[in-house]
Amino acid sequence: MSKISPLSGFPELLPDQRVVERAVTGSLAETFELHGFANIETRAVEPLDRLAKGGEIDKEIYLLRRAQGEADDASSDRTLGLHFDLTVPFARYVVEHAGHLEFPFRRFQIQPVWRGERPQEGRYRQFTQADIDIVGRDELPFHHDVEVVRVMVEALGRLPVPALSFQVNNRKLIQGFYRGLGIPDVTAAIRAIDKLDKQPAEAVAELLVEQAGASVEQAQVCLELASIRASDASFADRVRALGVTDDLLDEGLTELAAVLEGCVDVVDDHVTVEANLRIARGLDYYTGTVLEIFMAGYERLKSVGGGGRYDALASDGRTTYPGVGVSFGVSRTLIPLLSDGVLAGSRPVPSAVLVALTDEQSRPGSIAVATLLRARGIPCEVAASPQKFGRQIRYAERRGIPFVWFSQPDGSHQVKDIRSGEQVAADPDSWTPPAEDLHARAVVATSSTDDTQTDTQTDTRTKEQLS
């Protein structure tokens, strides 16, 4: 057999790393469901013409075809591609199933997506995203913008990750500002400002002049707007001080202030929400609230999540389905943290108990003990072979199983915590391991030489373990 080489951009997690991912996705799902969001899963493929942006075929789309295509292949008349995000398939899902949905429809998805881009840290060709959206029929009240941000703040606040910052803006604010300022091409101005995280201010100013038709003075005012940041509604006074007036600008200022005020009781030192008037998100379908999420110590990843309001993303020609949503990059966030040793699984296997074997004839008795433990929700397994007890204990140690169960000749039982060496009498009908040992968990690393990891450990929220 030839040597196996990993495929670049298609990460595979080891069992203890998968424990972390499952704990995170399980926690996210629990929070989303607490707020009434229904879980859906869309198909992995969409017609290429639906995935294409503005009729232009995106070079990052992976195509799907049979290795041995046939002329009468039912799918040959439409080229299929793997979805590169969860928003496009969700928009199609809403239109296709609208007759079976109750609006406003609240959904969450946690699924893999595929994107044919150059692999690098935080960017993969296959990765998992977690999305929440609220979609209405023809109209969707603004208070859902506030709600979606609050829910994602609460969900991410439960995760054992470094501090997160929600940077929020409003497209009405920046569109109204550019319009009131007299910028000829507002859309080009938004796209130029969206490049501030990749290019210096001087280069963006040149784009504003060359592509948006702004004067040098107007470009400078646009950069002044983009520099405004505040954790409260004081940003509005700073915007008005720039001397630009417009009705759409006023509406955007009001909505952005409402998002900040609506999140006051769910933010803390671990998850913050801040107005950042540089945030633009270059996609044209955003019409109101826009946001990006950043992780402390991992600014090199850029944003680890984002989203916003879209008033016309989905339509069947008769009905329009406006929505608002936020996406969180599960793989984008977790894989660097796992690689750096910031997060780890408490053990690589589900089993909390290994039931030992005295000899092969004792296997039915050991299976009976395991059955009693499992009936009470305690994950366990029976030893593979009746080796010496010392070897069975070492086997449990290698697998990360914390307890070994011994059945005695007189019918009594004992259980040993192989970490402390403590061995006590136990009854399979009543014994339960400590809560922190019952299931494998995501835990924060206890030691690190990396400054980022040290900062992470000092955050009180990240010291909490996620069950």
Side-chain angles (χ1 to χ4, degrees), residues 351 353-364 366-367 370 374 380-389 391-396 398-399 401 404-405:
S351 302
V353 181
L354 175 73
V355 182
L357 285 174
T358 303
D359 49 40
E360 198 56 45
Q361 288 68 39
S362 69
R363 185 176 293 278
S366 295
I367 291 174
R374 292 178 189 132
C380 60
E381 59 186 84
V382 176
S385 60
Q387 299 176 313
K388 292 181 179 180
F389 284 155
R391 289 188 176 182
Q392 293 185 59
I393 290 172
R394 286 193 292 274
Y395 173 78
R398 289 195 303 271
R399 288 175 57 78
I401 302 173
V404 178
W405 190 282

Side-chain angles (χ1 to χ4, degrees), residues 92-107:
R92 186 268 312 160
Y93 180 96
V94 169
V95 172
E96 184 173 342
H97 301 286
H100 303 282
L101 303 176
E102 186 66 31
F103 293 93
F105 177 51
R106 309 155 69 84
R107 86 76 159 95

